Amino acid sequence: MGDMANSSIEFHPKPQQQREVPHVGGFGCTLAELRSLMELRGAEALQKIQEAYGDVSGLCRRLKTSPTEGLADNTNDLEKRRQIYGQNFIPPKQPKTFLQLVWEALQDVTLIILEVAAIVSLGLSFYAPPGEESEACGNVSGGAEDEGEAEAGWIEGAAILLSVICVVLVTAFNDWSKEKQFRGLQSRIEQEQKFTVIRNGQLLQVPVAALVVGDIAQVKYGDLLPADGVLIQGNDLKIDESSLTGESDHVRKSADKDPMLLSGTHVMEGSGRMVVTAVGVNSQTGIIFTLLGAGGEEEEKKDKKGKQQDGAMDSSQTRAKKQDGAVAMEMQPLKSAEGGEMEEREKKKANVPKKEKSVLQGKLTKLAVQIGKAGLVMSAITVIILVLYFVIETFVVDGRVWLAECTPVYVQYFVKFFIIGVTVLVVAVPEGLPLAVTISLAYSVKKMMKDNNLVRHLDACETMGNATAICSDKTGTLTTNRMTVVQSYLGDTHYKEIPAPSALTPKILDLLVHAISINSAYTTKILPPEKEGALPRQVGNKTECALLGFVLDLKRDFQPVREQIPEDQLYKVYTFNSVRKSMSTVIRMPDGGFRLFSKGASEILLKKCTNILNSNGELRGFRPRDRDDMVKKIIEPMACDGLRTICIAYRDFSAIQEPDWDNENEVVGDLTCIAVVGIEDPVRPEVPEAIRKCQRAGITVRMVTGDNINTARAIAAKCGIIQPGEDFLCLEGKEFNRRIRNEKGEIEQERLDKVWPKLRVLARSSPTDKHTLVKGIIDSTTGEQRQVVAVTGDGTNDGPALKKADVGFAMGIAGTDVAKEASDIILTDDNFTSIVKAVMWGRNVYDSISKFLQFQLTVNVVAVIVAFTGACITQDSPLKAVQMLWVNLIMDTFASLALATEPPTESLLLRKPYGRDKPLISRTMMKNILGHAVYQLTIIFTLLFVGELFFDIDSGRNAPLHSPPSEHYTIIFNTFVMMQLFNEINARKIHGERNVFDGIFSNPIFCTIVLGTFGIQIVIVQFGGKPFSCSPLSTEQWLWCLFVGVGELVWGQVIATIPTSQLKCLKEAGHGPGKDEMTDEELAEGEEEIDHAERELRRGQILWFRGLNRIQTQNFLSLFTVFRSTVS
């Protein structure tokens, strides 16, 4: 790691003036000095600080800052620091320009085939064969053609090129706006990240980007350090530096042993203050990022050389990788020193396409590939039949000879056939699918912001629709997280409300006030309310706020006590963590002795008490029997009222012999109990209704909490998680572990499977229990389908569970940075009801895609069959290439916009989750697709073969090569589009509902698109002329087309009447990828991925881009391979 950082200095040429003037801007340290200081660790670093600055306060003096007061909040000074030492911002990688995106969109295989066809067609149209021989070439150009018409041969090629340009621009614009939206989201997440600094002696929350060198920052449990610094004072500080060093052990930091704190590392325990010494690109994370940036360009050069071999395969991955660099402040884990093998493994892994966890994308990819293959086969057959028919008719039936001068004419025919074939393929391939997914997800993410869901990973939104289980925290999610002390046990008396100060002995009161004021984080405060009549503001840890509020209720104040004993005079602090479940602070007494104050979960702390204060404030013995009495009479009744019980205790040490402070069990023992208090955290009023909705939607809600079992059960009953008369389990962590582990203490899945289905409440649980439960439910194979689990978490220790879950929700207000980093969605209001909104949006995404599929496939089936049969019977597709492309454009791009932006309704919560294995296209949808296809095909073939008689017009069949557009074929085209338009309205419902207009006006985008498409269609038909192969229609003909279109709605009602259950013959399509389809490599990689994922912080962008690119890449890859094999 050391040499890595040293080598990085070359990447930053230092500004010239810094070499000549040692101390720029009046500061006593240069940027280079500070950078080289931050590369040292432990004893080396301490030695360097002592040699160069004397001590940390000497460093603070050189940086013109005060260790206690911080910087003066002076704009000029802050600006000067930014100019000299840099800003706390790592510039993101340049986004792709619009032209690059256009170029990427042009790489599409089908579009390339079309471009080639169009260019060949253009070239040939300008070649006029010598006139005399044309008779010899057969009836190539019929008499219907006059001079002007022959000239117009180029129009078709040009029109195809134009529509290709349209498709490319639309795709590129979509990618561009997607990128822009993602960057907006990213910067929003960054702006919301704040950090606590001291300026002018005041604690301020400033955005991470506003930190400057010389700032004094407060670090506490759960923070993600935003800059490098040197510790001034710390309490029991432990840091997880694995994101920089790859070492998973927590590193203990202290001002006298190892004071170096590095950006991108996580505070796992304790608290402290540091002076910021390096920010942005000069911090350790920044240096690595700069290396990555420089490395990225070299990679790209190498990539270009290697590209020829792997072709399309790798493009999606490199794209995802490049995007990956774009995350501005996300921390990249560095490979450990033995990087060689790791890189080898990485390379191997890069060649296996990574499997994503998004269910929808798996199903879509598979479906798109199947459709693409079918389309390819159809188009190949079409071309072969057309060519054979032409060759047999010209050379066998008419007995002509192939003359050299006729070659261009024949080639022109072949090109026309080729274009028809490609058109069939274009219509068959649903390239609107990735678009529909993108639009639907992007739209949902934008709207979910309003519902207090900040989505970090796009596919989490859709996975949420499949959720079958939610494991929720209690505090702050189901409850208001505004804690208050409502009962207490002081001096042998159980008070059901706050006691009057006069009722308590002064000694007890004094001890209580000191124990609470000193033994809690000094950053926790109760501030006056912001508005008149509002409640006082609670800042910091909510349990501590409740205790401080109790002090205020007893008409005393905690501030004077804290001023008397400031934080830097605390002798030793054992901070709260999930193992201790308690916090203790030691102070020095005036007589030279020590006093320890402790507070924590009552059942844990009471076991360490040997005395208790009686009503006079005197000590009396507290035996195990007394403890059992107290648990029965005081603690259980409090817990049954849904209260959380906290014990407050103290212990005095004499001045003669100082104990060994590192032997914590010795020190925190033999305590004297001052009080036990019951803290209430009321249930949020809207939660019971939200939980009822979840249960109705087939989602099981489980509560996982650190509270004791009685409190947990009381709250679960209030929320409606457990109902009287139901068969459910409420377990404590210990009992849970006893039931799921075998004699050797290993977890057995069979045992877990007996517990989790009935488990509703898991109390006194450790973070490991939470992770075990989530993993157990996900890995279980007992049900008919795999469970999809969502988890909420706010603490640092919830990271593993949040990462393991299918969807991790972090709390936006109470959550630590570590939890947010591990999560998929951040709840900006910490409220359980927002999770229900997320379920609704997730299901809506799924339904939107299904609606679009139902519509798209109807168009595909009809267009392909029409083009195919038409070509085989009449040697010419009734729908021309340009018309097909227009149909494709409206049906793909516009319809995906229209159907993907349907707002969700409450009715989505009335059905069970789809599950991972349910096919995308249900029987009902299959019935609709085939039903409507039958109607449309009947109409179109009727018009094709007897239409000219019905409308009394010339037949368009068997027209020569460049003949003018016929009314006959225009009517067919127009009818086709009208039917699609009305079928788009049918497609709004996929579960066989009758009223297809329900809520249509709540979606303005849908209405605009339907009317817009209709308007453009009128223009194309009336004024499109030769390029669109249209001839203007009369009003009567228009009305007939409209009439047939409206018939779609009537026909839709007829189809809805047929019961799906009777149609056993219908197949479903679009199943999720089955288990047997996973290759050995993927399985092996899956195992590796787990430990990788535990170490690495997932990044949303990879999923976002890789998912979409993969749909397109795989789609065209498989098309391409099939195409190659057919050609070869």
Side-chain angles (χ1 to χ4, degrees), residues 872-1024:
C872 298
I873 299 172
T874 66
Q875 285 75 74
D876 184 9
S877 167
L879 298 171
K880 300 287 178 286
V882 181
Q883 295 174 350
M884 289 276 220
L885 282 169
W886 160 240
V887 169
N888 212 29
L889 184 76
I890 59 167
M891 297 323 153
D892 272 2
T893 314
F894 295 162
S896 63
L897 242 182
L899 293 168
T901 52
E902 289 271 314
T905 56
E906 287 283 332
S907 61
L908 288 167
L909 294 175
L910 297 176
R911 61 172 175 74
K912 298 277 178 272
Y914 280 150
R916 297 177 83 88
D917 313 324
K918 175 148 191 320
L920 266 181
I921 300 171
S922 62
R923 278 232 178 96
T924 315
M925 287 167 63
M926 202 50 121
K927 175 182 78 175
N928 290 342
I929 292 171
L930 296 178
H932 288 293
V934 167
Y935 173 82
Q936 297 186 9
L937 288 170
T938 314
I939 299 282
I940 287 177
F941 285 133
T942 311
L943 287 175
L944 181 59
F945 297 114
V946 295
E948 70 272 26
L949 310 173
F950 181 78
F951 285 109
D952 192 22
I953 46 178
D954 294 335
S955 165
R957 292 194 301 284
N958 299 330
L961 194 61
H962 292 305
S963 56
S966 66
E967 277 185 349
H968 182 190
Y969 274 18
T970 308
I971 290 177
I972 294 178
F973 166 58
N974 198 23
T975 312
F976 181 62
V977 173
M978 287 303 122
M979 291 194 293
Q980 299 323 327
L981 266 185
F982 285 99
N983 195 28
E984 197 167 332
I985 299 173
N986 275 332
R988 289 183 68 245
K989 302 293 174 200
I990 50 172
H991 297 299
E993 296 93 331
R994 289 254 175 218
N995 182 4
V996 288
F997 291 103
D998 179 31
I1000 193 166
F1001 295 113
S1002 64
N1003 184 2
I1005 302 182
F1006 185 86
C1007 304
T1008 320
I1009 284 179
V1010 170
L1011 294 173
T1013 313
F1014 185 61
I1016 300 174
Q1017 178 64 16
I1018 295 178
V1019 175
I1020 288 178
V1021 170
Q1022 297 305 98
F1023 311 106

Side-chain angles (χ1 to χ4, degrees), residues 105 168 217 246 275 285 371-372 436 446 593 813 836 849 898 918 983:
V168 166
V275 55
T285 308
I371 297 172
K446 216 170 177 168
I813 304 166
V836 183
I849 306 294
K918 175 148 191 320
N983 195 28

Side-chain angles (χ1 to χ4, degrees), residues 783-794:
E784 54 270 22
Q785 53 192 18
R786 139 146 157 53
Q787 297 273 315
V788 178
V789 184
V791 166
T792 71
D794 52 7

Side-chain angles (χ1 to χ4, degrees), residues 687-704:
V687 161
E689 175 54 23
I691 287 181
R692 243 197 322 281
K693 281 184 186 162
C694 279
Q695 289 163 342
R696 209 175 37 224
I699 301 168
T700 312
V701 182
R702 294 180 176 83
M703 182 162 98
V704 183

Side-chain angles (χ1 to χ4, degrees), residues 448 451-453 832-842 906:
M448 280 168 84
D451 285 339
N452 303 311
N453 282 293
F832 188 82
T833 43
S834 306
I835 299 178
V836 183
K837 296 261 177 59
V839 173
M840 228 158 83
W841 277 106
E906 287 283 332

Side-chain angles (χ1 to χ4, degrees), residues 16 90 112 297 317 328 339 357 406 435 501 513 605 632-633 669 721 736 943 948-949 964:
Q16 213 46 51
I90 295 174
I112 292 174
E297 282 141 38
Q317 270 148 10
K357 69 177 187 186
C406 291
L435 195 66
V513 171
L605 219 51
K632 273 198 195 70
K633 293 186 181 144
I721 291 177
F736 172 68
L943 287 175
E948 70 272 26
L949 310 173

Side-chain angles (χ1 to χ4, degrees), residues 685-897:
E686 63 278 16
V687 161
E689 175 54 23
I691 287 181
R692 243 197 322 281
K693 281 184 186 162
C694 279
Q695 289 163 342
R696 209 175 37 224
I699 301 168
T700 312
V701 182
R702 294 180 176 83
M703 182 162 98
V704 183
T705 174
D707 256 349
N708 77 37
I709 188 119
N710 296 328
T711 312
R713 195 183 275 130
I715 299 239
K718 283 183 193 165
C719 295
I721 291 177
I722 54 180
Q723 262 121 13
E726 266 189 1
D727 181 17
F728 58 80
L729 280 175
C730 294
L731 297 179
E732 284 202 338
K734 276 186 189 158
E735 172 63 12
F736 172 68
N737 277 305
R738 197 183 60 69
R739 289 193 183 197
I740 63 169
R741 291 175 190 272
N742 59 19
E743 297 70 49
K744 292 181 191 158
E746 294 159 345
I747 298 169
E748 284 189 2
Q749 188 66 41
E750 303 87 78
R751 292 176 181 233
L752 237 170
D753 287 345
K754 290 190 187 116
V755 176
W756 73 257
K758 287 184 183 173
L759 185 69
R760 292 293 174 273
V761 175
L762 184 56
R764 279 278 169 251
S765 67
S766 67
T768 338
D769 295 340
K770 194 175 191 174
H771 182 255
T772 308
L773 176 66
V774 172
K775 185 173 183 307
I777 298 179
I778 289 179
D779 294 347
S780 169
T781 48
T782 49
E784 54 270 22
Q785 53 192 18
R786 139 146 157 53
Q787 297 273 315
V788 178
V789 184
V791 166
T792 71
D794 52 7
T796 303
N797 43 26
D798 290 331
L802 287 170
K803 213 173 276 183
K804 178 67 196 163
D806 295 290
V807 182
F809 285 92
M811 301 300 143
I813 304 166
T816 59
D817 293 343
V818 184
K820 290 179 189 171
E821 202 57 64
S823 69
D824 302 291
I825 297 179
I826 296 173
L827 295 178
T828 50
D829 63 346
D830 286 15
N831 193 336
F832 188 82
T833 43
S834 306
I835 299 178
V836 183
K837 296 261 177 59
V839 173
M840 228 158 83
W841 277 106
R843 293 186 172 191
N844 193 50
V845 168
Y846 211 89
D847 278 10
S848 298
I849 306 294
S850 294
K851 288 171 190 176
F852 172 69
L853 267 176
Q854 175 176 311
F855 174 68
Q856 162 102 47
L857 292 181
T858 315
V859 183
N860 282 4
V861 169
V862 175
V864 170
I865 293 178
V866 166
F868 176 71
T869 34
C872 298
I873 299 172
T874 66
Q875 285 75 74
D876 184 9
S877 167
L879 298 171
K880 300 287 178 286
V882 181
Q883 295 174 350
M884 289 276 220
L885 282 169
W886 160 240
V887 169
N888 212 29
L889 184 76
I890 59 167
M891 297 323 153
D892 272 2
T893 314
F894 295 162
S896 63
L897 242 182

